[in-house]
Amino acid sequence: MKILIFGDIVAKPGRKAIATLLPQWRQKYQVDLVIANAENLSHGIGVTPASLEEMRSAGVDFFTSGNHIWKKPDINTVLQSANPVIIRPENYPPGLPGTGHRLLTVGVREILVINLMGRVFFKEHLDCPFRALDAILSEFHVRGKTPSTGVSRPVDGIFVDFHAEASSEKNALGRYADGRVTAFWGTHTHVPSGDSMTLKHGTVYRSDIGMTGLKDSVIGANTESIIKQFLTQLGDAKMHDVDEHGEVIINGQLLDFDGLSVNTWQALQESIII
Ligand SMILES: [Fe+2]
Ligand SMILES: [Fe+2]
């Protein structure tokens, strides 16, 4: 099966680029499942149900997220719905809306998608992502691997979006997960890393897939407004100025997976004018 993964899709230019390109990529690569990080879909910060629906119509099947998930509270109803199409980082404090992992059925296969968040360089004091991963992996294991507990359920693949700032933390958690999950990728920096690789015990890894957003920007937001924030130390943390038009870079990662092992793990990049 082929799984197409996107990192952070930023605001209207990112959504428009996905709506334009994704139908072509679905066809070209014969994709079975599309997963995207939704935390910046709505004006660069947060996500609304309407933006999610727009991306669903474009061909995204399932969404992970990150630290901006809580910025637009309407999303809580989606997070709390019976079969949510979006998950949020697992290691937020207990009791918040939604969940950080979900089992999906794709054709004949069952795959588990996990969303975790890093702690390095974040103001939030989250639970330990390493132990949060262990807790999930006490309930699920990749078929054919040794379960860590007697109650663990076998699944065909386990896929982890680690939303984190520091590549060191991503490297460390990726290697900690190596051999226990199928694929591990990073999001949040919006900058694609050049380190797509297979780790020692077979997990495919990339520190960050990178954003889908305006090229002439600061991680998707208007350049002048962000420079001004750095110069003045003033700015609204709930708002980003995002330009409407320009060249959009689309970053993705294509996983070809036969239920036992990963055949290809390929970085994709394309640019279009919006
Ligand atoms: Fe982001
Ligand atoms: Fe983020």
Side-chain angles (χ1 to χ4, degrees), residues 7-10 37-41 44-45 65-68 163 187-190 211 219 240:
D8 309 54
I9 300 170
V10 185
N37 192 297
E39 74 151 9
N40 303 107
L41 275 181
I45 294 189
S65 62
N67 52 307
H68 291 314
H163 195 79
T187 56
H188 177 73
T189 72
H190 294 205
M211 70 171 179
I219 63 170
H240 265 172

Side-chain angles (χ1 to χ4, degrees), residues 9 14 19-20 28 39 64 73 109 111 117 120 148 205 221 229 258 266:
I9 300 170
T20 306
K28 180 178 175 184
E39 74 151 9
T64 52
R109 305 212 184 277
I111 67 158
M117 200 167 118
V120 177
S148 63
Y205 172 91
Q229 284 188 29
D258 64 13
Q266 178 191 358

